[in-house]
Amino acid sequence: MNKMILAAVVSMAATTAFAKATTEYYFQPAAGAHAVEINYSMTADPGKAETGGGDVDVKQTTNDVVLDYAYGLNETTALGAYTFSGSSKTTVGTTDTTANGMGDIHLYYKGFADMIHWGVDLGVNMGKAKADKRGTGGLSIAANVGVLANSAEWNYGGDLMIILPQERTTESTTGDTKTKGGNTTKLAGFAEYNYGMGFVGGELAYVMVADTDTGAAAKTKGEGYLMLTGNVSYDFNDMATGLLSIGVENHSSRDSDDSATPTKLKAYMGTNVALGVRLNF
């Protein structure tokens, strides 16, 4: 879920309703303009755990369609919402669990003042989380602030994002459980080049995920990892823009929890790919 939030919550910069964007990293529609973005997103985390009997799979793959709508309130602020629907398969050893359906609905407000860009995000899910459903079972709050500078055809800057999941409730056959923690902080630097028909750019980020309390004796351990993302946009015409994003994550080996005898999770390289289109009208 954090990945989906990290992929969709990045705030955007001003453009006109029927003109090329001046930035892709901080894109937002102009005053009175609408933007609808549809992406097909795929992620793969091919992890393994060390055990006395040999390594076992601890991996996850997702396939989602992400729908994002934004409206320009004025030349400097925009209001919008996004959600996603698809499947997520988790493998632990020889056991597979697949969750399907729609994820949380996120409402966001974003804008800029000179070089400063900012955004706030509220994730809403009123039902309980279930093993076979995509909802988180609670609320989440996210905020980001960044700086965008430019020189000729180049844009560059940095962004700080914090995601604060609130208490979540998970339903199971043995009773409900409450989950707390798992806060995520992302510090990123980025650059993008305007090649005339769109942008090509990249982002290097360090992501820190805090421990999660699931009500058990031991907390699930968080982690810190590097993430490198490349992206390309292409303006088919004044109203339609193609989007492609490819990212890799470098996860180090770590303990699964803070118990006296935790399972050791091995290092792995995760991947994220998103392909879509944005319509401006």
Side-chain angles (χ1 to χ4, degrees):
M1 179 57 64
N2 285 338
K3 291 181 181 178
M4 300 305 305
I5 297 175
L6 288 173
V9 141
V10 180
S11 47
M12 310 176 198
T15 183
T16 59
F18 300 106
K20 294 182 178 180
T22 57
T23 175
E24 187 59 49
Y25 190 89
Y26 281 123
F27 169 83
Q28 72 183 46
H34 308 262
V36 175
E37 188 174 311
I38 302 174
N39 277 285
Y40 177 61
S41 173
M42 299 163 286
T43 70
D45 292 320
K48 288 184 178 294
E50 297 178 3
T51 67
D55 295 344
V56 298
D57 288 334
V58 182
K59 61 184 182 181
Q60 183 179 43
T61 58
T62 66
N63 292 271
D64 292 305
V65 175
V66 184
L67 178 63
D68 187 314
Y69 167 77
Y71 173 73
L73 295 174
N74 52 49
E75 292 298 336
T76 60
T77 61
L79 186 68
Y82 71 88
T83 189
F84 65 90
S85 183
S87 66
S88 175
K89 180 181 177 181
T90 302
T91 300
V92 179
T94 59
T95 303
D96 293 335
T97 302
T98 301
N100 297 293
M102 191 173 78
D104 298 1
I105 296 174
H106 288 260
L107 308 175
Y108 62 81
Y109 179 59
K110 58 185 65 180
F112 68 96
D114 297 323
M115 296 173 61
I116 305 300
H117 292 254
W118 52 266
V120 292
D121 177 291
L122 174 64
V124 180
N125 187 284
M126 303 307 294
K128 298 177 182 179
K130 298 181 180 180
D132 60 347
K133 301 297 182 184
R134 297 300 302 279
T136 62
L139 301 175
S140 66
I141 300 170
N144 77 292
V145 61
V147 176
L148 175 70
N150 61 75
S151 176
E153 289 81 15
W154 284 94
N155 293 328
Y156 54 90
D159 190 84
L160 173 65
M161 179 186 297
I162 299 176
I163 302 169
L164 304 173
Q166 305 303 294
E167 184 178 76
R168 285 86 74 200
T169 302
T170 300
E171 181 181 293
S172 69
T173 56
T174 57
D176 294 350
T177 60
K178 301 290 186 179
T179 302
K180 300 178 182 179
N183 298 345
T184 299
T185 301
K186 175 189 174 189
L187 180 61
F190 66 89
E192 58 182 3
Y193 176 75
N194 186 340
Y195 64 89
M197 294 299 294
F199 290 86
V200 57
E203 176 194 70
L204 178 63
Y206 184 67
V207 181
M208 295 165 283
V209 182
D211 294 351
T212 301
D213 185 354
T214 60
K219 294 182 179 180
T220 301
K221 293 287 289 182
E223 63 168 326
Y225 61 91
L226 285 172
M227 180 168 65
L228 178 63
T229 305
N231 55 76
V232 178
S233 66
Y234 179 79
D235 297 324
F236 295 109
N237 51 49
D238 289 339
M239 296 182 63
T241 299
L243 305 168
L244 172 64
S245 175
I246 301 175
V248 293
E249 302 171 358
N250 184 22
H251 294 262
S252 302
S253 62
R254 68 187 193 279
D255 292 337
S256 61
D257 55 58
D258 60 359
S259 66
T261 56
T263 299
K264 176 69 72 174
L265 301 175
K266 303 187 73 173
Y268 69 91
M269 190 74 72
T271 57
N272 308 281
V273 179
L275 177 65
V277 64
R278 182 174 61 239
L279 302 176
N280 303 292
F281 54 96

